C-alpha cells in the first residue's frame, strides 16, 4: 500500500523544511522505542516516521518523491537507465527506436569485486551508481544559512564604538551519537536524529565607531551548520541606534538646538555648546542672528565608517526671551520699542 509521507508526519505537501523538522522531532519523541518499551505498534510507527523524515528532509529525495510517489527510488532509476542506454545509440534508419533495461549492465557498471552471490547484491547501491555515475550517492554539501542578530546601541556608543556580548545557541555534534543521528540503527534520543544539539555560547562582537541603524557586522562561520558537511554560514550583527534626547543624526552630521540669549543674538556674542564627545566648545554668535539659523562646527559630528573625516555639528540657534525682567531692563525694552516705533534710524 502506497505511503503518504506527508500524512505520516502530519504536514502539508507545501510544508517548509523547518515545519517538517519540527513535526518529525515531536513524533519521534512520542513514538521512540525508549519511551514505549515493548510496544510493537509504536516501534513500527517510529520506523515509518523515520523513513518519512529521511525522504522529506532531503531536498533531492523530496523532489523525486513528489514526482514519482512511493516508488520514487525505482521509477527514476529505470527512467535514467533507459535514457542512458538510448543515449549510446542513435536512431536507426527504417526502424523505430527502442530501449531495454539490462540488469547485468547495471551490475557491470557498479563494478567488480562484490562476489557472485545474490545475497551480496544491494539494489540501492546499484541505483546510487546510476545517479552518481559510479561515484556513490549521498547528500550534496551545501553552505549553512546566515543568521542575523539585532542589537540596540546609544548614539554615544555609535560615536566611540562599543562591544556586545551575545548569548547564542550554537549547534554542536551530538555527544551521544557523535553526529551520526543514530544509535544501533535507531534514531538517537538525544538529538532526535539530527546529529547536532544546541549548546549555549558567548560571543563578543566589536561594533565600530560610526555605526548607524542598519549597519551589519559580519562574524564569519558563526551561522547555521551546512548540510552534508558543508561550511557554516555567517552571523550578522545588525545595529539599531537609539534616538538621542539632544542630538538629531543626519548621516555623519549631528543637529543640535542651542539656546542663545536675545542680547547675544542681537549684539553678537559667544555661547558654550555641548558635543557628542562630552566636551563643550565655544561658538561665536554673529550680530543679528535669527532663531533657526544653523551654525556649522566642522568635524564635531559622527565618525565615518570608512575612516574618512568626521561629520559636522550643526548648531540650530534658538533665541531665548528672558522670562523675568528687572524694572531697569523693562524700561530699556520700552525705550527700544518707542525708538523703533518713532522710526529711529541707526547711526
Amino acid at each position: 500500500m502506497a505511503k503518504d509521507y506527508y500524512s505520516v508526519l502530519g504536514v502539508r505537501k507545501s510544508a517548509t523544511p523547518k515545519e517538517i523538522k519540527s513535526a518529525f522531532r515531536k513524533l519521534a519523541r512520542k513514538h521512540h522505542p525508549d519511551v514505549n518499551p515493548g510496544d510493537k505498534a509504536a516501534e513500527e510507527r517510529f520506523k515509518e516516521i523515520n523513513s518519512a523524515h529521511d525522504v522529506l528532509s532531503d531536498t533531492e529525495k523530496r523532489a523525486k518523491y513528489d514526482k514519482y510517489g512511493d516508488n520514487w527510488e525505482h521509477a527514476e532509476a529505470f527512467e535514467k537507465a533507459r535514457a542512458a542506454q538510448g543515449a549510446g545509440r542513435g536512431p536507426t534508419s527504417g526502424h523505430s527506436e527502442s530501449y531495454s533495461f539490462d540488469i547485468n549492465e547495471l551490475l557491470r557498471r557498479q563494478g567488480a569485486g562484490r562476489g557472485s552471490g545474490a545475497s551480496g547484491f544491494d539494489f540501492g547501491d546499484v541505483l546510487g551508481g546510476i545517479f552518481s555515475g559510479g561515484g556513490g550517492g549521498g547528500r550534496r554539501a551545501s553552505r549553512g544559512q546566515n543568521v542575523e542578530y539585532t542589537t540596540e546601541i546609544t548614539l554615544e556608543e555609535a560615536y566611540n564604538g562599543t562591544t556586545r556580548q551575545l548569548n547564542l545557541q550554537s549547534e554542536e555534534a551530538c555527544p551521544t551519537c557523535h553526529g551520526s543521528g543514530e544509535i544501533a540503527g535507531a534514531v538517537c534520543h538525544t538529538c532526535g536524529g539530527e546529529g547536532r544539539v544546541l549548546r549555549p555560547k558567548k560571543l563578543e562582537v566589536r561594533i565600530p565607531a560610526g555605526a548607524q541603524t542598519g549597519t551589519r557586522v559580519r562574524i564569519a562561520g558563526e551561522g547555521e551548520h551546512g548540510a552534508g558537511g558543508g561550511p557554516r554560514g555567517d552571523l550578522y550583527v545588525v545595529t539599531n541606534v537609539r534616538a538621542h534626547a539632544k542630538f538629531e543624526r543626519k548621516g555623519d552630521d549631528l543637529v543640535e538646538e542651542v539656546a542663545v540669549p536675545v542680547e547675544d543674538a542681537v549684539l553678537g556674542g559667544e555661547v558654550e555648546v555641548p558635543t557628542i564627545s562630552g566636551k563643550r566648545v565655544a561658538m561665536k554668535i554673529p550680530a543679528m542672528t535669527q532663531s533657526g539659523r544653523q551654525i556649522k562646527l566642522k568635524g564635531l559630528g559622527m565618525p565615518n565608517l570608512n575612516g574618512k573625516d568626521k561629520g559636522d555639528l550643526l548648531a540650530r540657534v534658538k533665541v531665548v526671551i528672558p522670562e523675568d525682567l528687572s524694572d531697569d531692563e523693562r524700561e530699556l525694552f520700552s525705550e527700544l520699542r518707542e525708538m523703533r516705533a518713532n522710526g529711529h534710524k541707526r547711526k
Side-chain angles (χ1 to χ4, degrees), residues 166-284:
L166 308 183
N167 296 313
L168 307 175
Q169 292 290 323
S170 178
E171 284 188 330
E172 298 178 2
C174 175
T176 304
C177 65
H178 306 290
S180 68
E182 295 183 354
I183 299 177
V187 172
C188 174
H189 63 276
T190 301
C191 64
E194 291 300 308
R196 298 185 295 272
V197 292
L198 294 177
R199 290 284 185 266
K201 181 178 182 179
K202 292 183 178 180
L203 189 68
E204 188 172 88
V205 179
R206 175 69 185 174
I207 297 173
Q212 303 186 34
T213 293
T215 295
R216 289 154 55 93
V217 180
R218 174 175 172 264
I219 300 93
E222 291 294 343
E224 293 188 1
H225 281 266
R232 292 182 63 165
D234 299 329
L235 169 65
Y236 286 89
V237 177
V238 184
T239 57
N240 178 37
V241 183
R242 193 183 306 156
H244 198 278
K246 191 169 185 63
F247 298 100
E248 177 188 353
R249 186 173 185 176
K250 292 187 175 180
D252 291 335
D253 294 334
L254 293 175
V255 180
E256 176 187 9
E257 189 173 77
V258 177
V260 176
V262 65
E263 60 272 21
D264 289 334
V266 173
L267 302 175
E270 188 176 276
V271 296
E272 278 196 344
V273 178
T275 66
I276 188 63
S277 68
K279 297 180 179 179
R280 301 178 72 88
V281 298
M283 181 177 74
K284 290 184 178 180

Side-chain angles (χ1 to χ4, degrees), residues 154-176:
T154 65
L155 189 62
E156 286 83 0
E157 288 177 318
Y159 177 81
N160 294 301
T162 187
T163 59
R164 282 291 184 272
Q165 183 169 284
L166 308 183
N167 296 313
L168 307 175
Q169 292 290 323
S170 178
E171 284 188 330
E172 298 178 2
C174 175
T176 304

Side-chain angles (χ1 to χ4, degrees), residues 107 110 113-123 125-126:
L107 287 170
Q110 184 67 9
R114 290 183 177 270
S116 58
S119 60
F121 175 69
D122 187 343
F123 193 68
D125 288 344
V126 175

Side-chain angles (χ1 to χ4, degrees), residues 325-340:
L325 295 175
S326 66
D327 292 341
D328 290 341
E329 289 173 333
R330 187 176 294 278
E331 185 177 345
L332 287 173
F333 274 106
S334 296
E335 289 179 8
L336 176 62
R337 182 170 62 183
E338 186 177 345
M339 291 171 65
R340 295 188 68 83

Side-chain angles (χ1 to χ4, degrees), residues 1-12 20 23-28 31 44-54 56 65 70:
M1 189 174 180
K3 299 173 185 175
D4 183 349
Y5 284 150
Y6 293 100
S7 295
V8 169
L9 295 183
V11 297
R12 299 165 300 167
I20 289 172
F24 166 71
R25 285 182 171 178
K26 183 177 179 180
L27 292 171
H31 297 282
E44 290 302 315
R45 174 72 170 142
F46 180 76
K47 291 179 180 178
E48 195 176 47
I49 292 165
N50 201 31
S51 297
H53 176 257
D54 179 64
L56 299 185
Y65 174 77
D70 194 43

